[in-house]
């Protein structure tokens, strides 16, 4: 016995399942493949046993245009199961919080980034009942920040750059200017950023360079003189300190890589008063085969 219009409106399709496909064709004007068979399934979608499902990071963001849930997923490789779980996460979170969910996928791999960016479509061809469009952050759209000044302007973005490019050929070029930029934030923050970056570096040489750079950063924060200059923010002292630090770091990178440094090279680097030129030499030190390669193409 049908007791309400609500029940009647869907029970008619249980009585004649083929009516639903005819409704697609004749009422909705949506093409539907000719069915071969029908099976009416149990309509109960209650999950009796708890199923553990976790997103990597979930944040609620309030804006002038409303609140959003940012669902952040770190993805190392293709995983077709995520094309089922991601829509589930978003639907569940919307039902729980009544707040618009936004899926953000972050990866270090270009192939994975292209895979993750593909819309997830569920429904009929040409008529999606559900579509999920992840926002993807990866090495193809995160800029390479290899300039100290640029890194200082936005340290967290420079950290993200180092992390997303941590498995690529450009990772080492980002590290040295970023290490100097980390001196502009507090010591605890610099330590956390340093650990995050190290975990994302794949190349053993890049890891070694970064660990040594982090040793220099720890020395900087524990050195009373350096801390005084930093806190007082004296322009002249900071500039001189940056010149000295950059010159010494350039030479240390060569030494860490077991590249002999002749006295003439050492004197030229230590005597340079052009920060931009020292920055160029520091970048070259990461890949140079000989100390003299720092000066390839001229310079001060």
């Amino acid at each position: 016995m049908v007791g309400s219009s609500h029940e009647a409106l869907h029970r008619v399709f249980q009585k004649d399942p083929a009516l639903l496909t005819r409704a697609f064709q004749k009422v909705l004007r949506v093409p539907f493949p000719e069915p071969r068979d029908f099976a009416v399934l149990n309509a109960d979608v209650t999950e009796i046993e708890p199923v553990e499902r976790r997103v990597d990071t979930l944040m609620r963001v309030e804006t002038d245009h409303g609140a959003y849930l940012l669902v952040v997923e770190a993805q190392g490789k293709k995983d077709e199961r995520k094309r089922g779980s991601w829509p589930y996460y978003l639907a569940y979170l919307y039902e729980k919080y009544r707040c618009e969910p936004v899926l953000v996928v972050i990866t270090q791999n270009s192939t994975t980034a292209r895979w993750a960016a593909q819309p997830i479509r569920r429904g009929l061809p040409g008529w999606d009942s559900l579509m999920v469009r992840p926002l993807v952050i990866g090495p193809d759209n995160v800029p390479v920040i290899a300039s100290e000044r640029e890194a200082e302007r936005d340290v967290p973005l420079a950290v993200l750059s180092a992390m997303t490019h941590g498995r690529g050929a450009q990772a080492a070029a980002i590290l040295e200017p970023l290490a100097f930029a980390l001196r502009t934030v507090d010591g605890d923050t610099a330590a956390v950023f340093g650990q995050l970056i190290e975990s994302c570096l794949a190349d053993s040489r890049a890891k070694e360079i970064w660990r040594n750079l982090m040793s220099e950063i720890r020395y900087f924060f524990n050195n009373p003189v350096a801390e005084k200059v930093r806190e007082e923010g004296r322009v002249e002292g900071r500039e001189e300190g940056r010149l000295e630090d950059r010159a010494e770091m350039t030479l240390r990178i060569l030494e860490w890589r077991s590249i002999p440094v002749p006295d003439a090279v050492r004197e030229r680097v230590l005597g340079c008063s052009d920060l931009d030129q020292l920055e160029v030499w520091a970048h070259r030190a990461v890949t140079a085969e000989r100390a003299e390669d720092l000066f390839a193409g001229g310079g001060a």
Side-chain angles (χ1 to χ4, degrees):
M1 184 71 178
V2 177
S4 68
S5 60
H6 171 83
E7 188 175 1
L9 285 170
H10 68 84
R11 282 283 295 275
V12 64
F13 297 118
Q14 296 180 20
K15 177 63 177 175
D16 183 359
L19 175 61
L20 187 57
T21 61
R22 293 199 299 278
F24 273 109
Q25 297 166 357
K26 297 184 177 181
V27 178
L28 298 174
R29 306 296 182 184
V30 173
F32 193 93
E34 194 64 32
R36 294 197 302 266
D37 193 15
F38 290 95
V40 178
L41 305 178
N42 188 337
D44 188 352
V45 294
T46 303
E47 295 187 9
I48 299 175
E49 296 183 3
V51 178
E52 184 175 355
R53 300 182 188 271
R54 294 179 181 272
V55 297
D56 291 333
T57 292
L58 179 64
M59 295 179 290
R60 180 185 175 98
V61 180
E62 300 285 347
T63 76
D64 292 338
H65 301 284
Y68 295 91
L69 290 177
L70 298 186
V71 184
V72 184
E73 287 276 277
Q75 196 67 26
K77 60 182 180 180
K78 295 180 182 180
D79 184 353
E80 290 301 324
R81 293 175 300 177
K82 292 298 181 72
R83 301 185 73 77
S85 59
W86 285 340
Y88 178 94
Y89 294 159
L90 300 184
Y92 172 80
L93 289 170
Y94 178 78
E95 180 64 21
K96 181 177 181 178
Y97 294 101
R98 290 293 166 173
C99 184
E100 297 295 342
V102 179
L103 175 61
V104 181
V105 179
I106 182 167
T107 181
Q108 294 179 292
N109 184 282
S110 294
T111 301
T112 303
R114 289 191 292 271
W115 165 80
Q118 297 173 4
I120 301 170
R121 302 177 185 274
R122 297 291 177 260
L124 292 171
W127 192 277
D128 304 314
S129 295
L130 172 67
M131 182 172 70
V132 174
R133 297 177 62 194
L135 294 169
V136 180
I137 297 172
D140 294 335
N141 57 7
V142 175
V144 174
I145 298 180
S147 160
E148 180 185 341
R149 288 191 175 91
E150 189 177 0
E152 285 184 352
R153 282 197 294 269
D154 194 335
V155 174
L157 181 61
V159 170
L160 179 64
S161 176
M163 293 171 67
T164 52
H165 293 281
R167 296 185 179 275
Q170 302 182 89
I174 302 173
L175 301 182
E176 196 266 349
L178 177 54
F180 282 94
L182 285 181
R183 301 182 186 201
T184 64
V185 302
D186 64 272
D188 291 340
T189 299
V192 172
F193 281 158
Q195 293 172 4
L196 293 174
I197 292 166
E198 182 175 341
S199 68
C200 290
L201 296 175
D203 180 69
S204 58
R205 177 178 292 179
K207 276 184 176 289
E208 182 181 359
I209 291 174
W210 184 245
R211 286 169 182 166
N212 284 291
L213 288 169
M214 286 303 296
S215 295
E216 293 293 324
I217 292 172
R218 285 190 290 271
Y219 170 79
F220 174 82
F221 281 106
N222 293 327
N223 185 308
V225 176
E227 183 67 17
K228 182 179 179 181
V229 171
R230 177 177 181 272
E231 289 184 356
E232 292 180 356
R234 293 179 299 196
V235 176
E236 182 179 352
R238 285 184 61 189
E239 189 68 17
E240 291 179 359
R242 290 171 68 181
L243 286 169
E244 183 179 352
D245 284 347
R246 178 56 59 87
E248 291 181 352
M249 186 62 66
T250 300
L251 297 175
R252 286 196 187 95
I253 291 174
L254 294 174
E255 292 168 358
W256 292 333
R257 298 181 58 221
S258 301
I259 295 177
V261 181
D263 289 342
V265 172
R266 186 179 302 276
E267 291 174 5
R268 184 173 176 181
V269 172
L270 292 176
C272 182
S273 59
D274 184 337
L275 189 61
D276 290 335
Q277 182 62 66
L278 285 170
E279 185 170 317
V280 171
W281 290 347
H283 291 171
R284 291 176 182 170
V286 176
T287 57
E289 296 182 2
R290 301 165 55 250
E292 290 78 5
D293 291 344
L294 296 183
F295 314 128

